[in-house]
Amino acid sequence: MKQVTLHDLTFEPFISAAEIDSTVASLAAQIDNDYRGRNPILLIVLNGAFIFAADLVRKITIPIRLDFIKISSYKGTESTGKMDEHFLWKSNLEGEHVIIVEDIVDTGHTLNYLKEKIGSQHPASVEVTCLLKKPTAYKYDDHLRYEGMSIEDKFVVGYGLDYNGLGRDLDSIYKRSGS
Ligand code: IMP
């Protein structure tokens, strides 16, 4: 695998497609095991989680329902903490078992903002699955139930994640060079 250049930045190979695949398979197996008989609703956070979610839901074997949220807080390579809500889920979450599907958790502001909104509909439970987490950047002290990989606090692209609109289509994950 070679370096890629997106706009003004260069990225180098970081997490292979095979490693991603086994991480997603392990998350799916845990969800299968924990949610049997509960028909959870997976709330997929767009745009970034679309590829992770597409792979995850096809590896989960129990019956699930899907809904979508489109929200953003990132500009370039920085988390702004200011949420832009494009649309929220349509399902009634009252009494439901909800799993939020996030691509990457950085400061955790997006996730905690969503947890509060979701909590106001009184679901039976709310858990989170994310493919990647940057533990040193995370500003909350809760534990995420289904966490894929912990990574250093570097800006990454690929497998759904972008840098100003580019890089989502890369089939593995790249990190910013020299950061
Ligand atoms: P948080 O609110 O700081 O946790 O940021 C979460 C959102 O920012 C994610 O859903 C991503 O869309 C975006 N994000 C965070 N880190 C990165 C990264 O390294 N590359 C691309 N997008 C990122």
Side-chain angles (χ1 to χ4, degrees):
M1 282 194 295
K2 291 197 303 241
Q3 285 191 334
V4 293
T5 300
L6 305 173
H7 301 295
D8 55 330
L9 298 181
T10 306
F11 295 84
E12 58 198 72
F14 184 37
I15 305 171
S16 69
E19 275 178 275
I20 296 170
D21 190 65
S22 67
T23 303
V24 177
S26 143
L27 292 169
Q30 292 173 59
I31 291 170
D32 267 354
N33 195 47
D34 295 350
Y35 284 86
R36 207 163 294 284
R38 294 203 276 167
N39 298 348
I41 300 182
L42 273 66
L43 288 185
I44 296 157
V45 185
L46 300 173
N47 293 333
F50 81 108
I51 293 183
F52 168 45
D55 285 344
L56 181 73
V57 302
R58 287 177 297 167
K59 290 185 193 300
I60 292 173
T61 62
I62 58 165
I64 53 173
R65 290 165 290 164
L66 302 180
D67 208 335
F68 299 87
I69 296 167
K70 187 166 157 79
I71 187 168
S72 56
S73 70
Y74 238 71
K75 286 240 152 49
T77 63
E78 297 296 327
S79 176
T80 64
K82 195 184 142 301
M83 301 302 146
D84 242 341
E85 266 175 27
H86 305 283
F87 61 80
L88 297 176
W89 63 92
K90 284 266 200 288
S91 318
N92 178 3
L93 303 182
E94 190 174 348
E96 301 288 357
H97 295 285
V98 173
I99 306 174
I100 304 172
V101 182
E102 258 282 30
D103 48 358
I104 185 165
V105 177
D106 184 338
T107 61
H109 292 325
T110 308
L111 199 56
N112 279 275
Y113 177 83
L114 283 176
K115 273 181 159 175
E116 230 166 80
K117 287 225 153 202
I118 292 165
S120 69
Q121 282 201 351
H122 309 292
S125 67
V126 183
E127 297 291 354
V128 177
T129 182
C130 64
L131 180 67
L132 302 172
K133 185 175 172 201
K134 297 179 185 170
T136 56
Y138 195 62
K139 295 199 179 331
Y140 300 81
D141 45 30
D142 57 336
H143 166 75
L144 307 183
R145 181 83 171 265
Y146 306 104
E147 209 176 293
M149 287 176 257
S150 281
I151 62 165
E152 50 199 312
D153 189 3
K154 295 217 164 147
F155 189 74
V156 294
V157 293
Y159 197 70
L161 293 159
D162 75 310
Y163 168 48
N164 280 345
L166 293 181
R168 293 196 198 276
D169 52 320
L170 296 166
D171 74 346
S172 61
I173 294 173
Y174 290 70
K175 71 177 174 186
R176 185 177 169 180
S177 299
S179 59

